[in-house]
Amino acid sequence: MDFLQQDIKYLPGVGAKRAELFKTELGIFTAEDLLRHYPYRYVDRSRFYKIREIEDENAYIQLRGKFVRFEKVGEQRKQRLTAIFTDGERTIELVWFQGIKFVLDKYRVNTEYVIFGRPSLFNGRFNFVHPDVDLPSELPPPEQMGLQPFYNTSEKMKNNFLNSKAIQKILFPLINQVQRGVAETLPVHILERFKLMNLTESFINIHFPKNNDLLARARQRFKFEELFFIQLNILRQKKWRETHYEGFIFSKIGDFFNTFFHQYLPFELTGAQKRVIKEIRADFVSGRQMNRLLQGDVGSGKTLVALMSMLIANDNGFQACIMAPTEILANQHYTTIVEFLKDMNVEVALLTGSTKQKDRKIIHEKLENGSLNIIIGTHALIEDKVIFRNLGLVVIDEQHRFGVEQRSKLWSKNEQPPHILVMTATPIPRTLAMTYYGDLSISVIDELPPGRKPIQTYHYYETKRSALLGFLTKQINAGRQVYVVYPLIQESEKIDLRYLEEGYDYFREMLPKFHISMVHGKMKAAEKEAEMQKFVSGETQLMVATTVIEVGVNVPNASVMVIENAERFGLSQLHQLRGRVGRGAEQSFCILLTGVKLTKTSRQRMEIMTRTNDGFEIAEADLKLRGPGDLEGTQQSGMPFELKISNLAQDGQMLEIARNTVLDILEKDPALSLPENKILSIQLKKMTTNVVNWGAIS
Ligand code: ADP
Ligand code: MG
């Protein structure tokens, strides 16, 4: 058997107990898993530092010198051991809180040692806490030690002496074995084309790099390999789906579409809308099932594009549906679409959790006999009881809230899967979209309908509240309405609620002439509805709310969005909230209120918000500031892979190259049956054992 696949239990220095820890704590089962547990950092041990050179806490460094004396300080359990260490020029303090006896027994004064660790600043002086101490004779000479790898471990592993250094020791003999050669995972033609380091060399140099250049090349190879196989996996499944399912062909542009377009469409389509409708139409006649992601900022006119696509489905004798994540949104779509189609002969219905039993029955019947053309709803649409006569197009609003399984459940409504159009108002940076939604084609509406005034955004410190009150008074006197939003963080709902209520009292006191609504998640639905209604009808001028208003509310007369504690929101959320205003004809404003003391990234977030309204620019910035792991929505998207070494914020260019390479290969060899690509299908099989096959779900 391939030694890479052997159980780590049998590696020298591991054994059953450590193997168990590797498995449960890090998911490492085989020698290869361990080799692919890449160091998260490297430390330069290629030279000795002088104490006088120590100037920050960041870098791990090593010193060479002697202990001058040891001293126990404090009582019993709080006892610590300090040692004075000299490099012959100056002295520095070393500290131990544990293992005091061990240190005292083992280390001697007047003997030369190498001290290694990270200096920390304590009372204005640098010291080392729990440094590594070795005799120079125990270490290879510095020029051979070079860059030292550091490995992630867990608390539990450390408690069992399985720390970074222990992992390094286990890797040492393993790398010796690797040196004899391991089987490649990438075909020669790719290695040669991109001058990538081979797998054997890469394993050696990622763990024990001889210099920075070799390390960089090893990292590059592993990043490419990782991104390449993710793309290969996604695009292979896409191909598989395309060859196993046919797509409905909507070749006709008929009365529904034409009547709407020529008689009832109240405005010109924007250039971007026209382009996207063309892209969708091309999918409709391709004979392949459409799986398209439609991205565009709030108000860019996605719903209208969806409606026109649905009319094409209707023209070809098919039914269409829109699935929204909440009832409020489903209601809103329903109202909008009924308004657009009011003079046309299209049957439209709404189906949500609150639909009455007797209406529900009628809807079910009409869906089954085909007399309903368009249905709008929530998850209620994917219940098994809901049977369509011939569902041809599914529009899913707000991708992030629906998982992959729900998408596939909609396919199963037909023998042949309907076309799928996913709409999202949360722009997704290109690298994320290619990775997390890499099986979808992407359309972008990057143009707002004409005549919209861009929202003006300002950042105010809390100290400027009186100026804010003056501004709000002016706006309300001019007939506008105002949102004031407070953050809501689940762990401390009570405190959040208190802030909200205090805010409500504050505005009532400071702006006594005006009427105020308050809405939060703890209210009963009916109560919430009533408060919202007051704001919608203009009876109240201020709406004090938690982020519940993020989705769904549409009040064109509301032109000011005040965000309290704006530093507590992520960029995408700020952008989403801002999108609640700017829907009417008046100039709209967004005021970000923060404390005076801000972290660097908070300040950057405010700066980006005040500079741009472009959702894509904001999404890209969000990715850079937060890292891909934290992005809202990506956790729920349930992708069956993790990125071990590449970083979607930094490795965009490599991702493009990897994806294009995969596309080239699949174009020439869709089944990966050419001898030169055999290696790829083997590798893919290995990967996909724990991957959901989307295509196979239905
Ligand atoms: P989205 O779904 O992207 O948030 P909508 O489709 O709801 O956007 O459109 C927002 C508003 O702009 C709606 O009132 C809609 O009628 C209007 N609208 C859409 N397209 C245009 C257009 N081309 N010209 C003018 N107004 C438009
Ligand atoms: Mg919309």
Side-chain angles (χ1 to χ4, degrees), residues 265-271 273 294-306 332-333 336 340 397-398 423-425 445 447-452 554 580 583:
L265 182 62
F267 35 65
E268 271 280 301
L269 293 175
T270 63
Q273 283 171 320
L294 174 54
Q295 301 190 63
D297 256 327
V298 171
S300 59
K302 297 183 294 297
T303 310
L304 186 70
V305 168
Q332 201 170 291
H333 281 315
T336 311
F340 270 127
D397 195 11
E398 303 286 351
M423 300 196 289
T424 176
I445 304 192
E447 181 186 352
L448 289 178
R452 299 267 173 85
N554 187 7
R580 294 294 111 198
R583 304 188 149 214

Coordinates of all heavy atoms in Angstrom, one line a residue, residues 265-271 273 294-306 332-333 336 340 397-398 423-425 445 447-452 554 580 583, ligand 1:
L265 N -44.9 47.7 -19.6 CA -43.7 48.0 -19.0 C -43.5 49.5 -18.9 O -43.5 50.2 -19.9 CB -42.5 47.4 -19.8 CG -41.1 47.7 -19.1 CD1 -41.0 47.0 -17.8 CD2 -40.0 47.2 -20.0
P266 N -43.6 50.1 -17.7 CA -43.7 51.5 -17.5 C -42.4 52.3 -17.8 O -42.4 53.5 -17.7 CB -44.1 51.7 -16.1 CG -43.7 50.5 -15.4 CD -43.6 49.4 -16.4
F267 N -41.3 51.7 -18.1 CA -40.1 52.4 -18.3 C -39.2 51.6 -19.2 O -39.4 50.5 -19.6 CB -39.3 52.7 -17.0 CG -39.5 51.6 -16.0 CD1 -39.0 50.3 -16.2 CD2 -40.2 51.8 -14.8 CE1 -39.1 49.3 -15.3 CE2 -40.4 50.8 -13.9 CZ -39.8 49.5 -14.1
E268 N -38.1 52.2 -19.7 CA -37.1 51.6 -20.5 C -36.3 50.6 -19.6 O -36.0 51.0 -18.5 CB -36.1 52.6 -21.0 CG -36.4 53.3 -22.3 CD -36.0 52.4 -23.5 OE1 -34.8 52.0 -23.6 OE2 -36.9 52.1 -24.3
L269 N -35.9 49.5 -20.1 CA -35.0 48.6 -19.4 C -33.6 49.3 -19.4 O -33.2 50.0 -20.4 CB -34.9 47.3 -20.0 CG -36.1 46.4 -20.0 CD1 -35.9 45.1 -20.8 CD2 -36.5 46.1 -18.5
T270 N -32.8 49.1 -18.3 CA -31.5 49.6 -18.3 C -30.6 48.7 -19.2 O -31.0 47.5 -19.5 CB -30.8 49.6 -16.9 OG1 -30.8 48.2 -16.5 CG2 -31.6 50.4 -16.0
G271 N -29.5 49.2 -19.7 CA -28.6 48.4 -20.5 C -28.2 47.1 -19.8 O -28.2 46.0 -20.4
Q273 N -30.0 45.4 -17.6 CA -31.2 44.5 -17.6 C -31.3 43.8 -18.9 O -31.5 42.6 -19.0 CB -32.4 45.3 -17.2 CG -32.6 45.6 -15.7 CD -33.7 46.6 -15.5 OE1 -34.0 47.5 -16.2 NE2 -34.5 46.3 -14.4
L294 N -27.9 35.6 -10.4 CA -28.1 37.0 -10.8 C -27.8 37.9 -9.6 O -28.5 38.0 -8.6 CB -29.6 37.2 -11.2 CG -30.0 38.7 -11.6 CD1 -29.1 39.3 -12.6 CD2 -31.4 38.7 -12.1
Q295 N -26.7 38.7 -9.8 CA -26.3 39.6 -8.7 C -26.6 41.0 -9.1 O -26.4 41.4 -10.2 CB -24.8 39.5 -8.5 CG -24.3 38.1 -8.1 CD -22.8 38.2 -7.7 OE1 -22.5 38.8 -6.7 NE2 -22.0 37.5 -8.4
G296 N -27.0 41.8 -8.1 CA -27.2 43.2 -8.4 C -27.6 43.9 -7.1 O -28.3 43.2 -6.3
D297 N -27.2 45.1 -6.9 CA -27.6 45.8 -5.7 C -29.1 45.9 -5.6 O -29.8 45.8 -6.5 CB -26.9 47.2 -5.8 CG -25.7 47.3 -4.9 OD1 -25.7 46.6 -3.8 OD2 -24.8 48.0 -5.2
V298 N -29.5 46.2 -4.3 CA -30.9 46.5 -4.0 C -31.3 47.6 -5.0 O -30.7 48.6 -5.1 CB -31.0 46.9 -2.6 CG1 -32.4 47.4 -2.3 CG2 -30.7 45.8 -1.6
G299 N -32.5 47.4 -5.6 CA -33.0 48.4 -6.4 C -32.5 48.5 -7.9 O -32.9 49.3 -8.7
S300 N -31.7 47.5 -8.2 CA -31.1 47.5 -9.5 C -32.0 46.9 -10.6 O -31.8 47.0 -11.8 CB -29.7 46.8 -9.6 OG -29.9 45.4 -9.1
G301 N -33.1 46.4 -10.1 CA -34.1 45.9 -11.1 C -34.1 44.4 -11.4 O -34.4 43.9 -12.4
K302 N -33.7 43.6 -10.3 CA -33.6 42.2 -10.5 C -35.0 41.5 -10.6 O -35.2 40.6 -11.4 CB -32.9 41.5 -9.3 CG -31.4 41.9 -9.2 CD -30.7 41.2 -8.0 CE -31.3 41.5 -6.7 NZ -31.2 42.9 -6.3
T303 N -35.9 42.0 -9.8 CA -37.2 41.4 -9.7 C -37.9 41.5 -11.1 O -38.6 40.6 -11.5 CB -38.1 42.1 -8.7 OG1 -37.3 42.1 -7.4 CG2 -39.4 41.4 -8.4
L304 N -37.7 42.6 -11.7 CA -38.2 42.8 -13.1 C -37.7 41.9 -14.1 O -38.4 41.3 -14.9 CB -38.0 44.3 -13.5 CG -38.7 44.6 -14.8 CD1 -40.2 44.7 -14.6 CD2 -38.2 45.9 -15.3
V305 N -36.4 41.6 -14.0 CA -35.7 40.7 -14.9 C -36.3 39.3 -14.6 O -36.6 38.5 -15.5 CB -34.2 40.6 -14.7 CG1 -33.6 39.4 -15.3 CG2 -33.6 41.9 -15.2
A306 N -36.5 39.0 -13.3 CA -37.1 37.7 -13.0 C -38.5 37.6 -13.6 O -38.9 36.5 -14.2 CB -37.2 37.5 -11.5
Q332 N -44.0 41.0 -0.6 CA -43.6 42.2 -1.4 C -43.5 41.9 -2.9 O -44.0 42.6 -3.7 CB -42.3 42.7 -0.8 CG -42.0 44.1 -1.2 CD -40.8 44.6 -0.4 OE1 -40.8 44.7 0.8 NE2 -39.7 44.8 -1.1
H333 N -42.9 40.7 -3.2 CA -42.8 40.3 -4.6 C -44.2 40.1 -5.2 O -44.4 40.5 -6.3 CB -42.1 39.0 -4.7 CG -40.6 39.1 -4.6 ND1 -39.9 40.0 -5.2 CD2 -39.7 38.4 -3.9 CE1 -38.6 39.9 -5.0 NE2 -38.4 38.9 -4.1
T336 N -45.7 43.5 -5.9 CA -45.1 44.2 -7.0 C -45.5 43.5 -8.3 O -45.9 44.2 -9.3 CB -43.5 44.0 -6.9 OG1 -43.1 44.4 -5.6 CG2 -42.8 44.8 -8.0
F340 N -47.6 45.0 -11.6 CA -47.1 45.0 -13.0 C -48.1 44.3 -13.9 O -48.3 44.7 -15.1 CB -45.8 44.2 -13.0 CG -44.6 45.1 -12.8 CD1 -43.6 44.8 -11.8 CD2 -44.4 46.3 -13.5 CE1 -42.5 45.6 -11.6 CE2 -43.3 47.1 -13.3 CZ -42.3 46.7 -12.4
D397 N -34.9 33.9 -4.5 CA -34.4 35.2 -4.1 C -33.6 35.0 -2.8 O -33.9 34.3 -2.0 CB -35.7 36.1 -3.7 CG -35.3 37.5 -3.6 OD1 -34.1 37.9 -4.0 OD2 -36.1 38.3 -3.1
E398 N -32.5 35.8 -2.8 CA -31.6 35.8 -1.6 C -30.9 34.4 -1.4 O -31.2 33.7 -0.4 CB -32.3 36.2 -0.4 CG -32.9 37.6 -0.5 CD -31.9 38.7 -0.5 OE1 -30.7 38.5 -0.2 OE2 -32.3 39.8 -0.7
M423 N -31.3 34.9 -7.3 CA -31.0 36.3 -7.3 C -30.4 36.7 -5.9 O -30.9 36.2 -4.9 CB -32.4 37.1 -7.3 CG -33.2 36.9 -8.6 SD -34.4 38.2 -8.8 CE -35.6 37.8 -7.5
T424 N -29.4 37.5 -5.9 CA -28.9 38.0 -4.7 C -28.5 39.4 -4.7 O -28.0 39.9 -5.7 CB -27.7 37.1 -4.2 OG1 -27.2 37.7 -3.0 CG2 -26.6 37.1 -5.2
A425 N -28.9 40.1 -3.6 CA -28.6 41.5 -3.5 C -27.3 41.7 -2.7 O -26.8 42.8 -2.5 CB -29.7 42.3 -2.9
I445 N -26.1 42.7 -12.7 CA -26.7 44.0 -13.0 C -25.9 45.1 -12.3 O -25.9 45.2 -11.1 CB -28.2 44.1 -12.6 CG1 -29.0 42.9 -13.2 CG2 -28.8 45.4 -13.0 CD1 -30.5 43.1 -13.0
E447 N -25.8 48.4 -12.9 CA -26.3 49.7 -13.4 C -27.6 50.0 -12.7 O -28.5 49.1 -12.8 CB -26.4 49.7 -14.9 CG -26.8 51.0 -15.5 CD -27.1 50.7 -17.1 OE1 -26.8 49.7 -17.6 OE2 -27.6 51.7 -17.7
L448 N -27.8 51.1 -12.1 CA -29.1 51.4 -11.5 C -30.0 52.1 -12.5 O -29.5 52.8 -13.4 CB -28.9 52.3 -10.3 CG -28.2 51.7 -9.0 CD1 -28.1 52.8 -8.0 CD2 -29.0 50.5 -8.5
P449 N -31.3 51.9 -12.4 CA -32.2 52.7 -13.2 C -31.9 54.2 -13.2 O -31.5 54.7 -12.1 CB -33.6 52.4 -12.7 CG -33.5 51.1 -12.0 CD -32.1 51.1 -11.4
P450 N -32.1 54.9 -14.3 CA -31.8 56.3 -14.3 C -32.6 57.1 -13.3 O -33.6 56.7 -12.9 CB -32.1 56.7 -15.7 CG -33.1 55.7 -16.2 CD -32.8 54.4 -15.5
G451 N -32.0 58.3 -12.9 CA -32.7 59.2 -12.1 C -32.6 59.0 -10.6 O -33.0 59.8 -9.8
R452 N -31.9 57.9 -10.3 CA -31.7 57.7 -8.8 C -30.6 58.6 -8.4 O -29.5 58.7 -9.0 CB -31.2 56.2 -8.6 CG -32.2 55.2 -9.0 CD -33.2 54.9 -7.8 NE -34.2 54.0 -8.3 CZ -34.1 52.7 -8.4 NH1 -33.0 52.1 -8.1 NH2 -35.1 51.9 -8.9
N554 N -40.1 48.3 2.5 CA -39.9 49.2 1.4 C -40.8 50.4 1.6 O -42.0 50.4 1.3 CB -40.3 48.5 0.0 CG -39.9 49.4 -1.1 OD1 -39.3 50.4 -1.0 ND2 -40.3 48.9 -2.3
R580 N -32.0 50.3 2.3 CA -33.4 50.5 2.7 C -33.8 51.9 2.3 O -35.0 52.1 2.2 CB -33.6 50.3 4.2 CG -33.4 48.9 4.7 CD -34.4 48.0 4.2 NE -33.8 47.0 3.3 CZ -34.5 46.3 2.4 NH1 -35.8 46.5 2.3 NH2 -33.8 45.5 1.6
R583 N -34.9 54.9 -2.2 CA -35.9 54.2 -3.0 C -36.9 55.2 -3.6 O -37.7 54.8 -4.5 CB -36.6 53.1 -2.3 CG -35.6 52.2 -1.7 CD -36.3 51.0 -1.0 NE -35.4 49.9 -1.1 CZ -35.8 48.6 -1.3 NH1 -37.0 48.3 -1.4 NH2 -34.9 47.7 -1.4
Ligands
ADP1 P1 -34.2 44.6 -7.0 O1 -35.1 43.4 -7.1 O2 -33.0 44.5 -7.7 O3 -34.1 45.2 -5.6 P2 -36.5 45.8 -8.3 O4 -36.7 45.0 -9.4 O5 -37.4 45.6 -7.1 O6 -35.0 45.8 -7.8 O7 -36.5 47.3 -8.8 C1 -36.5 48.4 -7.9 C2 -37.4 49.5 -8.3 O8 -36.9 50.1 -9.6 C3 -38.8 49.0 -8.6 O9 -39.7 50.0 -8.2 C4 -38.8 48.9 -10.1 O10 -40.1 49.0 -10.6 C5 -37.9 50.0 -10.6 N1 -37.2 49.7 -11.8 C6 -36.8 48.5 -12.2 N2 -36.2 48.6 -13.4 C7 -36.3 49.8 -13.8 C8 -35.9 50.6 -15.0 N3 -35.3 50.0 -16.0 N4 -36.2 51.9 -15.0 C9 -36.8 52.5 -14.0 N5 -37.2 51.9 -12.9 C10 -37.0 50.6 -12.8

